[in-house]
Amino acid sequence: WRAEAREVLALAAPRPVLVIAPTRDRYAPVEDVRRVVEASRSVYRLLGRAEALELETPVDINRFSQATQERVFDWLARLPI
């Protein structure tokens, strides 16, 4: 999944993307996700939008907790319409 994730994130550039990778996700180790995001960030950097690719790593399992929901809603509210 790692190679495909890099490609998908690169295709999204320069649009804003928020990646949430819980530290206790047993299916996608946070360090692997971090490497994928950093590899994709180079495309964002080339387009002058490195800040548009964000990574959050809450201490949690793979679920959509109330805190994560609030973080996502805040992020969505910042997007230009």
Side-chain angles (χ1 to χ4, degrees), residues 7-71:
E7 293 167 359
V8 169
L9 285 175
L11 286 171
R15 291 176 293 283
V17 172
L18 173 62
V19 176
I20 299 178
T23 59
R24 296 182 182 152
D25 185 340
R26 63 180 158 165
Y27 303 109
V30 71
E31 288 309 315
D32 289 351
V33 176
R34 196 181 313 271
R35 279 191 288 275
V36 166
V37 169
E38 287 309 312
S40 302
R41 193 178 307 279
S42 62
V43 176
Y44 277 80
R45 207 172 283 119
L46 282 172
L47 298 170
R49 294 289 316 274
E51 77 289 346
L53 179 55
E54 298 181 48
L55 172 64
E56 293 282 330
T57 56
V59 178
D60 204 345
I61 60 173
N62 190 3
R63 64 187 181 124
F64 200 40
S65 68
Q66 183 69 33
T68 301
Q69 290 177 44
E70 291 172 8
R71 171 63 180 107

Side-chain angles (χ1 to χ4, degrees), residues 16 18 54 68-81:
L18 173 62
E54 298 181 48
T68 301
Q69 290 177 44
E70 291 172 8
R71 171 63 180 107
V72 170
F73 295 147
D74 289 344
W75 181 82
L76 288 169
R78 290 191 342 241
L79 294 178
I81 296 178

